[in-house]
Amino acid sequence: MRRVLLRLLLLGMAAALAVAAWVVAASFTHHLTLLAFIALVVFCLSGYILLRWAGSGAETTDRRAERTSRVRWLITGAVVYMLVAQLGIGRAPQRTLAEPSAVERTSAWTLGDAARLAYLHVPARGPQRGPPIVMLHDGPGIPALPELAHGPARPLDFAADSGFDVYYYDQRGAGLSDRLDLRESEPYSVERHVRDLEEIRTLIGAERLILAGHGWGATLAINYTAAHPERVAKLLLLAPAPLWYAEEPEFVDPAARARIDDVEASALALAQRPTPRLLIGRLTALTSSRAAHTLVHDWEADQWWTNATRRAMELGQPRMTCRSDPTWGLPSLEGLGFFAYSYTVADALRRPDPRPALARTETPALVVRGLCDFVQGRVAQSYLDALPGALYVAIPGAGHLIWAEQQPLFEQVASAFLLDRDVPLTFYSPRAR
């Protein structure tokens, strides 16, 4: 029995060496068939060497029988290895992820690299009162347009009645906008999203913009402001994500997580566990992004992330609203872009502190946070510390989707800021909490 367990362990080691060979070989080729052949050869050679080493110290009088047994073990192991590799890695899962629903009245900007970014324009009604408002959605990788099509009202349409053009758009890599071909392109980054936004400004024909950033969109607004301070007229920052991700890598308030039982926790852990294909793809990306994204396509990663995110939100991990029912106001989660999310966050964690550049800006800013927001209050405070003269408003009875739960209060506060009126002191607080 001990000998059997030893041989199984050694074949497992050979499989690990085969995976390592796949990852290293991806530096030289992205052809999956060739990578699979190299991995199989490494498995067979290393398996034979390891099995021979294990049998070299064994006492036996029949060397031929020992060699025959070793070869049988190796052949059986190779067959099992190929079956597992084909079923677990070589075959993509069944596609159940639907394309995001079309949204009425959407158009698309064509950027300099021919990428198309989908947008919805709500034109000003009446005389123009100021620069156009561009809404920067949450995420990264969680688009605006498919979700707004399902919601009762878009968050900033009221501003059109006050004379502002309002633009909603899906950032590159999610929703109705184009994805990067990561077999050829550099991955998503904060800088790329900033460049896209600057191109959008020129396509709109605006000298300056009012940026309304929600969640991660606030982070993007800050990075754009640091790069182009003269192009930003105002900042409306809603339930902001970290200003500098390296300082706040963990920003979810533990109190914003619903209590779940062991069965629910196990189901969530299972949903969040990456598939073997995704794990191998991630390892392959260490040496070759092209090979990794030849193996794993956008829809496959999006499908896994969408299912995991939906399960987490259904269980209130974290809660999106103040309500006890975590499914109230649950986003549709159409068009999620996992690679836009993962690469952009990884880049955000490496970026330098934007606060030195922000210290010189005089851009008016308003930070609005729902008191039930799952993002910790200290994150909002970091914006107040970094932006000279920024105001802070806490909206009671609202979570991360402020306008969904407290639309009248949100419109009252946002309108006052946009129209240069006094922000209602009833909701004003000098410190985030």
Side-chain angles (χ1 to χ4, degrees):
M1 183 64 181
R2 183 179 299 176
R3 192 176 182 188
V4 170
L5 292 176
L6 176 60
R7 288 186 169 183
L8 290 174
L9 176 62
L10 294 176
L11 289 175
M13 293 173 60
L17 290 171
V19 171
W22 169 294
V23 174
V24 172
S27 302
F28 307 100
T29 179
H30 67 277
H31 294 288
L32 300 183
T33 302
L34 180 56
L35 288 172
F37 177 76
I38 292 171
L40 177 60
V41 169
V42 169
F43 173 85
C44 292
L45 288 176
S46 59
Y48 183 82
I49 293 170
L50 290 170
L51 289 173
R52 184 176 181 180
W53 168 80
S56 62
E59 294 183 2
T60 178
T61 57
D62 193 342
R63 297 295 180 183
R64 184 175 181 180
E66 175 64 24
R67 285 196 298 271
T68 302
S69 175
R70 189 160 55 236
V71 170
R72 286 175 178 171
W73 269 89
L74 185 61
I75 292 174
T76 303
V79 171
V80 172
Y81 166 84
M82 288 188 291
L83 287 174
V84 171
Q86 176 62 19
L87 295 175
I89 300 171
R91 296 178 59 187
Q94 181 180 1
R95 181 168 184 171
T96 59
L97 185 69
E99 294 292 332
S101 305
V103 179
E104 293 183 2
R105 299 192 294 118
T106 55
S107 303
W109 293 302
T110 301
L111 305 187
D113 62 356
R116 291 169 57 84
L117 302 188
Y119 73 93
L120 173 64
H121 176 207
V122 182
R125 292 180 276 272
Q128 291 277 349
R129 296 290 295 270
I133 302 171
V134 176
M135 181 81 184
L136 307 176
H137 63 69
D138 204 352
I142 304 177
L145 298 182
E147 177 55 33
L148 294 177
H150 293 278
R154 292 184 290 265
L156 294 173
D157 279 16
F158 67 89
D161 295 327
S162 300
F164 294 91
D165 281 319
V166 180
Y167 292 89
Y168 305 92
Y169 81 98
D170 285 343
Q171 296 158 27
R172 188 193 296 253
L176 303 178
S177 291
D178 284 351
R179 310 293 181 93
L180 288 173
D181 184 351
L182 292 170
R183 295 169 298 177
E184 306 292 342
S185 302
E186 291 297 314
Y188 299 92
S189 67
V190 176
E191 178 59 31
R192 184 184 285 272
H193 290 300
V194 169
R195 291 200 309 267
D196 288 351
L197 182 52
E198 174 62 5
E199 282 201 63
I200 287 170
R201 183 194 63 78
T202 60
L203 290 170
I204 291 175
E207 286 295 320
R208 297 202 298 168
L209 302 172
I210 297 173
L211 297 181
H214 175 232
W216 140 258
T219 311
L220 175 55
I222 284 298
N223 280 273
Y224 180 85
T225 303
H228 306 283
E230 74 285 356
R231 299 302 186 186
V232 183
K234 290 184 178 181
L235 289 168
L236 178 59
L237 306 171
L238 313 176
L243 181 144
W244 185 30
Y245 268 68
E247 186 177 60
E248 296 282 355
E250 299 293 336
F251 54 85
V252 175
D253 188 344
R257 297 187 184 276
R259 293 183 179 274
I260 58 176
D261 58 36
D262 291 343
V263 174
E264 292 170 328
S266 297
L268 178 59
L270 182 63
Q272 293 177 329
R273 184 182 304 161
T275 65
R277 281 173 58 87
L278 293 177
L279 289 172
I280 295 298
R282 180 167 185 152
L283 289 172
T284 305
L286 297 174
T287 54
S288 171
S289 176
R290 188 175 186 183
H293 294 287
T294 301
L295 174 66
V296 180
H297 300 290
D298 277 80
W299 71 263
E300 185 177 344
D302 294 349
Q303 180 168 291
W304 167 77
W305 191 43
T306 299
N307 292 336
T309 303
R310 179 175 290 112
R311 187 58 176 154
M313 287 187 174
E314 288 171 349
L315 294 173
Q317 306 299 306
R319 283 199 181 101
M320 300 295 291
T321 73
C322 285
R323 307 190 181 221
S324 58
D325 180 6
T327 62
W328 186 91
L330 187 67
S332 65
L333 300 180
E334 288 187 20
L336 265 62
F338 176 72
F339 292 131
Y341 161 76
S342 58
Y343 281 114
T344 303
V345 169
D347 179 65
L349 289 167
R350 295 190 295 264
R351 287 184 66 81
D353 188 349
R355 288 174 292 194
L358 297 173
R360 300 187 295 271
T361 183
E362 297 181 356
T363 305
L366 174 64
V367 178
V368 184
R369 178 176 179 268
L371 287 179
C372 296
D373 192 3
F374 65 79
V375 180
Q376 298 197 36
R378 68 171 185 267
V379 172
Q381 184 60 51
S382 68
Y383 284 81
L384 302 181
D385 295 337
L387 297 167
L391 298 176
Y392 171 73
V393 173
I395 301 290
H400 197 62
L401 304 176
I402 303 168
W403 60 87
E405 289 189 278
Q406 296 291 350
Q407 186 177 3
L409 293 182
F410 169 70
E411 290 186 9
Q412 182 183 356
V413 168
S415 291
F417 176 68
L418 294 171
L419 297 173
D420 297 318
R421 299 171 182 166
D422 290 337
V423 174
L425 295 179
T426 305
F427 313 114
Y428 172 72
S429 170
R431 305 290 290 179
R433 52 191 172 90

